[in-house]
Amino acid sequence: MRTRIKICGLTREQDVDAAVNAGADAIGLVFYPPSPRFVDIERAAQLCREVPPFVSIVGLFVNAEEAFVRRHLDALPLTCLQFHGEERSEDCGRYGRPYLKAARVRPGVNLVDYAAAFPDAQGLLLDAWVDGYGGGGKTFDWSLIPENLPLPLVLSGGLDAENVTEAVQSIRPWAVDVSSGVESLTGGKGIKDAALIAAFIAGVRNADV
């Protein structure tokens, strides 16, 4: 099986190009204003124009009002929605668009029950439990992932080129999602490094082989 790859938190055209050219299956745009990786609709539209056919564009929302989400759906060619807050199944499914639901993992969280509460989701994205929502660059204990999840697994949380091969070999997720793990050491949050993106994707492909 080929593990799918999403590069999230993109804010610059050159980073979109780097992700696509390295072989990413999807790019992620953050529509959560408190995030340092937030992009507004106008900026997102510019980034979307860089995306060629057959690469998915995922819009990330956190506890957003319905009108806010619909404005983005009207203005942008989003392929999939990703919900990172306390949204319920009806909140996520009302848009008639494929969606992922994120869960922050820590001991005591029943991930099977959590996934079962979102039966119409395309997948369950597992991230580390941190203050705030996503992009914390923290891994979690992969042994907490049950084998009987009822949804395809998207693994996130602290992945980078150094650990993604082990992660894919150990967990065999449907997809992996990275943001901070491919960011420039000098550019700050939201500024990606093309070499790190390429190394990350190579690490996934090595695990697939």
Side-chain angles (χ1 to χ4, degrees):
M1 188 191 82
R2 182 175 70 83
T3 307
R4 274 60 178 180
I5 301 168
K6 172 171 164 277
I7 309 296
C8 197
L10 299 173
T11 62
R12 306 187 303 170
E13 286 87 347
Q14 58 263 47
D15 297 337
V16 174
D17 293 341
V20 168
N21 292 336
D25 299 281
I27 65 147
L29 303 177
V30 176
F31 301 125
Y32 177 51
S35 170
R37 302 172 182 90
F38 168 76
V39 289
D40 61 23
I41 287 179
E42 291 73 20
R43 187 78 192 102
Q46 295 171 331
L47 297 174
C48 288
R49 285 194 284 271
E50 295 292 310
V51 181
F54 311 122
V55 175
S56 297
I57 303 173
V58 183
L60 188 155
F61 299 90
V62 179
N63 299 326
E65 296 290 337
E66 180 177 352
F68 182 84
V69 177
R70 292 199 182 278
R71 282 199 300 274
H72 288 72
L73 287 174
D74 289 342
L76 302 168
L78 301 180
T79 314
C80 179
L81 307 179
Q82 183 173 320
F83 295 101
H84 262 262
E86 282 67 54
E87 301 90 355
R88 300 163 299 173
S89 176
E90 53 266 37
D91 300 322
C92 302
R94 63 165 52 113
Y95 305 102
R97 198 68 60 94
Y99 76 87
L100 303 172
K101 184 65 182 77
R104 292 183 288 165
V105 181
R106 64 178 176 179
V109 175
N110 188 317
L111 294 174
V112 173
D113 287 349
Y114 189 96
F118 298 90
D120 57 342
Q122 273 203 321
L124 182 69
L125 185 145
L126 299 184
D127 202 352
W129 189 285
V130 296
D131 292 332
Y133 298 95
K138 305 293 184 182
T139 57
F140 63 90
D141 182 356
W142 297 332
S143 71
L144 295 173
I145 302 174
E147 294 183 359
N148 58 335
L149 281 177
L151 293 173
L153 167 62
V154 180
L155 183 63
S156 186
L159 296 178
D160 57 29
E162 300 298 322
N163 64 14
V164 72
T165 299
E166 177 189 357
V168 172
Q169 290 175 336
S170 301
I171 308 303
R172 290 299 174 191
W174 173 256
V176 291
D177 187 332
V178 65
S179 182
S180 60
V182 294
E183 286 182 337
S184 168
L185 297 178
T186 57
K189 295 181 178 181
I191 306 301
K192 308 305 186 190
D193 183 305
L196 291 179
I197 291 174
F200 180 88
I201 292 176
V204 176
R205 298 295 171 240
N206 288 338
D208 287 345
V209 170

